[in-house]
Amino acid sequence: MSSQVSTSRGLLPPGKLGTFESRHVWPLSAPTGQPEAARGDDQDVRLLSVAWNQDCGCFAAGTSNGFRIFNCEPFKETFRRDLKSGGFGIVEMLFRCNILALVGGGSNVQYPPNKVMIWDDHQSRCIGEFAFRSDVRAVKLAKDYIVIVLERKIYVYNFTDLKLLYQIDTLSNPKGLCCLSHHSNTSVLACPGVHQGHVRVEHFGLKMTKTIPAHDSHISCMALTMDGLLLATASTKGTLIRIFNTMDGTRLQEVRRGLDKAEIYSIALSPNVQWLAVSSDKGTVHIFSLRVRVAGEDASNEQRTLEGPRMDHQNSSSSIDPLVQTNTGSNASSSLSFMRGILPKYFSSEWSFAQFHLPEVTRYIVAFGAQNTVMMVGLDGSFYRCSFDQVNGGQMLQKEYFRFLKSDSPPFRTSAT
């Protein structure tokens, strides 16, 4: 599968770019107003995609006539581009800088779904373009890399000069599943392998490839910690979520979402590696307590939380034991777990620690916020923020709700993290 790349002069390293928080630098195409109040010009706008940025501090919404960016805490619309030529099915941010990756969607004929534009909104122009023979399924950005996902191949480019660095073959991947680490000390990519249920992990900095046989069925969702050293996966069955060490492929923990088959929409790992959140088509967001710990980690250290977790092991499974410890909160277990080995496996499974119920009619992607909160963004244009009790668990408490865009027209796309 060949690709074509075109560039414009002026491509800068991401570290030298402005941010979407600088309102005086970024003129808006329309006043922002209140996020929960739909404007009259929104009535005919369809929501095509939503995707968190790398630290989940904000998210991008691709619409049928452009894109918008929303800050999460406090929740507000901070930026928008309304276009007459059509909308975008993929809008990928690089933290909060002015560089975005855009892929056309909806009725957009100017930018077809087989092209990726690297857009500099400060200059209001395209500074790079990638063209392929098939539709682009996903785009991931990191400080050093641009990752473009097709159905059976992944291309990794250098961010500075757009040169092709790696080509990765995958099994059929219509969802565009791919994860990329964002820690300053690690460069890790995870994607479906070439065999059913396998995950391929690339440690670019170490020049190491690891294949993890994660499930018997096809992979349906996955997520990496910010440093890329832990991987959470779910299969098309949607009943179990497994957590792996990406260095040696060791399975560290397994939790159970439920007994019935479900489609997993998203998986999120908290920055301090204490919690895991899962959303599915069953309309429930589940929170699980992780027994995976970083040796010597102080969960109250805000700086460590912002930077992402760091593990002390580098090589083999001999370093795994210190990572598996008992958490202060614990997932519920069956009262029949003492009969483990006699009854079916699900009787001794680790069940969710906290839950929140959502409408089943739309997809939601989840992320962790500050101070034991979870955020959910729905493809009906809704935003929830809920809190959970870190000791007792149970039903989460809804703290905020905003309707940032009225949209009820499929198809929808979410970004796999």
Side-chain angles (χ1 to χ4, degrees), residues 113-151:
N114 67 319
K115 288 187 177 181
V116 178
M117 292 192 306
I118 306 301
W119 179 261
D120 183 344
D121 210 273
H122 183 40
Q123 303 181 55
S124 295
R125 68 185 182 96
C126 179
I127 58 175
E129 185 176 295
F130 303 84
F132 301 90
R133 294 179 181 174
S134 62
D135 289 356
V136 174
R137 302 298 183 179
V139 182
K140 302 295 177 183
L141 300 180
K143 182 181 68 173
D144 300 317
Y145 301 107
I146 300 171
V147 178
I148 300 176
V149 184
L150 308 184
E151 183 162 349

Side-chain angles (χ1 to χ4, degrees), residues 94-287:
L94 179 63
F95 290 94
R96 292 177 182 266
C97 80
N98 51 288
I99 298 296
L100 302 113
L102 303 173
V103 179
S107 59
N108 193 336
V109 294
Q110 182 174 356
Y111 304 113
N114 67 319
K115 288 187 177 181
V116 178
M117 292 192 306
I118 306 301
W119 179 261
D120 183 344
D121 210 273
H122 183 40
Q123 303 181 55
S124 295
R125 68 185 182 96
C126 179
I127 58 175
E129 185 176 295
F130 303 84
F132 301 90
R133 294 179 181 174
S134 62
D135 289 356
V136 174
R137 302 298 183 179
V139 182
K140 302 295 177 183
L141 300 180
K143 182 181 68 173
D144 300 317
Y145 301 107
I146 300 171
V147 178
I148 300 176
V149 184
L150 308 184
E151 183 162 349
R152 292 183 178 272
K153 191 176 284 289
I154 294 176
Y155 294 91
V156 182
Y157 297 88
N158 185 304
F159 209 125
T160 304
D161 55 15
L162 304 188
K163 289 184 178 180
L164 180 64
L165 300 176
Y166 307 97
Q167 296 185 48
I168 301 172
D169 293 319
T170 70
L171 202 62
S172 178
N173 184 19
K175 289 186 176 182
L177 299 179
C178 183
C179 304
L180 199 57
S181 69
H182 307 293
H183 195 280
S184 59
N185 295 327
T186 58
S187 298
V188 184
L189 178 147
C191 64
V194 295
H195 299 292
Q196 177 175 301
H198 288 205
V199 177
R200 175 170 174 165
V201 179
E202 293 287 343
H203 291 265
F204 293 133
L206 300 176
K207 300 187 184 322
M208 181 181 76
T209 301
K210 183 67 183 178
T211 299
I212 300 175
H215 299 271
D216 294 330
S217 304
H218 288 284
I219 304 296
S220 68
C221 197
M222 63 175 67
L224 283 171
T225 49
M226 288 192 71
D227 63 3
L229 298 182
L230 289 181
L231 169 72
T233 65
S235 75
T236 51
K237 291 182 180 179
T239 55
L240 298 173
I241 296 89
R242 291 169 175 162
I243 298 92
F244 298 91
N245 170 11
T246 62
M247 295 293 293
D248 62 8
T250 303
R251 186 200 300 182
L252 301 176
Q253 192 175 351
E254 178 181 282
V255 297
R256 179 173 290 276
R257 181 212 55 81
L259 301 178
D260 298 331
K261 183 176 181 180
E263 181 182 357
I264 303 298
Y265 290 150
S266 72
I267 299 174
L269 291 151
S270 65
N272 59 10
V273 203
Q274 285 187 316
W275 309 101
L276 180 146
V278 177
S279 64
S280 72
D281 63 353
K282 296 298 184 182
T284 302
V285 172
H286 294 274
I287 305 297

Side-chain angles (χ1 to χ4, degrees), residues 373-386:
T373 60
V374 179
M375 301 174 291
M376 304 102 169
V377 177
L379 284 162
D380 60 352
S382 61
F383 175 91
Y384 292 85
R385 189 193 317 279
C386 302

Side-chain angles (χ1 to χ4, degrees), residues 34 56 123-124 138 140 142 165 202 225 263 278 288 290 296 307 321 356 360 372 387 393 406 411:
Q34 296 298 318
C56 299
Q123 303 181 55
S124 295
K140 302 295 177 183
L165 300 176
E202 293 287 343
T225 49
E263 181 182 357
V278 177
F288 299 90
L290 293 179
E307 291 178 355
D321 292 339
F356 184 75
E360 297 182 28
N372 64 291
S387 64
K406 290 186 177 181

